[in-house]
Amino acid sequence: MTTFSLGRRALMATALAAMAFASPASADGHKVVDSIHFLIPGGAGGGWDGTARGTGEALTNAGIAGTASYENMSGGGGGKAIGFLIENADSNHGTLMVNSTPIVIRSLTGVFPHNFRDLTLVAGTIGDYAAMVVGKDSPINSMEDLMAAYDADPSATAVGGGSVPGGMDHLVAAMTFEAAGKDALGVKYIPYDAGGKAMAALLSGEIAALSTGFSEAVDLANAGEVKIIGVTSDERVPAAPDAMTMKEQGIDTSFVNWRGFFAAPGLPDDKLAMYQKALADMYATEEWEEVRARNGWVNIHNSGDDFKAFLEEQEQVIGDLMKKLGFL
């Protein structure tokens, strides 16, 4: 069995410091923060993009934040945005950068020189399962079909993803194929910069299947562009009840990717507490539940020191897994 679950700690309260430094409570509709600028380390259409914009939508619609703005800064597997945030720390105290499991993976593999310890840790907020999808007109309709195509011609059965080789989408594909009894390192993986470009490659036939986040897969399936042939959840997810899990198809693997927010190093304590409070208060709102349910996300809230402990644990788990698969 290959299990890589990143935990479901529902830590719904922030530190007492947050209560001391924050603006008026938002539980009664009062604004906590005037504005938030979201820095997105990848292009439009990817999981980071959806997480930042969905969070901003919920915060502003609920009245917790006055305004939200967004900036896509792709490059370097996410390293460009991280470097920008660090190098311009003093002018970015109004910025939250979204990130996820890849910040751990890519620092381990040396894709960029920084890691999560170089940033201010704000909070982990959600989890997103992974999914394998194929084009709407593909003859492949299940994981069994995909494995049969791979057995017949491995080189012609490429799997794409919106991350660099050895990145999360690659890791999930390798885990899935390994759990299906295949050579994980023999899988032909083609990387793309964020989900939008990977989707274009799938529809053009450049790749046979796409390894992606479940929320992205749901959006594409609802648009009639893809078929979801496997989900890395233990049970079917209500957002796509017809999509079979990997386990249902005899592939004993599960995976959930956390996503959360980071700020520039040196962020003043009062601003950190304000952002942490805004995100914590968001969970109790109908606006957030609408966004969460629409995307099929799992609430995973780790704030401050709990977020640090969570990341350190995942760094160890991911490192061990990548060594096993030959990525380190």
Side-chain angles (χ1 to χ4, degrees):
M1 175 180 177
T2 304
T3 301
F4 190 39
S5 175
L6 300 185
R8 297 193 182 187
R9 301 176 187 175
L11 302 176
M12 300 308 292
T14 54
L16 289 176
M19 298 302 293
F21 289 116
S23 299
S26 62
D28 56 359
H30 290 172
K31 186 168 59 179
V32 172
V33 58
D34 287 331
S35 64
I36 300 177
H37 181 64
F38 289 97
L39 180 61
I40 303 163
W48 287 332
D49 190 67
T51 300
R53 293 177 190 275
T55 301
E57 173 190 335
L59 288 171
T60 54
N61 287 350
I64 296 172
T67 62
S69 57
Y70 310 91
E71 179 181 3
N72 293 86
M73 185 181 290
S74 59
K80 181 178 179 180
I82 294 171
F84 174 82
L85 197 60
I86 292 171
E87 292 161 14
N88 300 278
D90 291 342
S91 60
N92 278 294
H93 286 169
T95 298
L96 292 184
M97 182 188 69
V98 63
N99 220 293
S100 56
T101 311
I103 197 172
V104 176
I105 297 173
R106 291 168 187 172
S107 63
L108 285 171
T109 56
V111 172
F112 45 69
H114 308 293
N115 63 44
F116 60 83
R117 297 174 183 85
D118 298 314
L119 301 163
T120 296
L121 309 185
V122 180
T125 55
I126 61 163
D128 186 19
Y129 298 110
M132 198 73 70
V133 305
V134 296
K136 61 180 180 179
D137 298 322
S138 172
I140 296 172
N141 293 299
S142 65
M143 290 303 299
E144 183 179 4
D145 289 348
L146 179 62
M147 295 305 162
Y150 177 80
D151 288 341
D153 192 348
S155 64
T157 312
V159 177
S163 62
V164 296
M168 192 185 67
D169 291 338
H170 189 184
L171 185 61
V172 169
M175 289 169 53
T176 301
F177 274 74
E178 181 190 60
K182 313 302 178 185
D183 177 11
L185 297 179
V187 178
K188 183 178 180 180
Y189 176 80
I190 302 179
Y192 300 90
D193 181 16
K197 292 181 180 179
M199 185 62 214
L202 180 67
L203 298 180
S204 70
E206 184 177 350
I207 53 178
L210 175 64
S211 173
T212 189
F214 175 73
S215 59
E216 298 164 60
V218 170
D219 287 344
L220 295 168
N222 287 342
E225 295 180 335
V226 304
K227 297 178 287 188
I228 302 175
I229 61 170
V231 182
T232 62
S233 55
D234 290 329
E235 299 176 351
R236 293 198 188 191
V237 183
D242 294 333
M244 294 182 68
T245 68
M246 297 295 181
K247 290 186 175 183
E248 283 182 276
Q249 301 177 78
I251 300 174
D252 197 6
T253 190
S254 61
F255 176 89
V256 61
N257 167 36
W258 63 267
R259 292 190 185 132
F261 293 95
F262 300 79
L267 182 73
D269 288 345
D270 59 337
K271 288 194 173 184
L272 172 59
M274 179 178 64
Y275 291 133
Q276 289 175 331
K277 178 171 176 51
L279 292 171
D281 288 354
M282 178 183 71
Y283 288 93
T285 68
E286 294 179 1
E287 290 81 2
W288 170 250
E289 179 55 25
E290 179 183 343
V291 171
R292 186 211 61 77
R294 183 176 73 218
N295 288 284
W297 294 334
V298 177
N299 282 332
I300 299 178
H301 183 208
N302 301 322
S303 193
D305 289 341
D306 291 314
F307 191 26
K308 180 181 179 182
F310 178 87
L311 292 173
E312 289 175 341
E313 177 186 348
Q314 296 320 309
E315 184 177 54
Q316 182 65 49
V317 172
I318 289 170
D320 291 345
L321 180 61
M322 293 183 75
K323 288 174 184 176
K324 174 184 177 183
L325 295 175
F327 293 143
L328 291 180

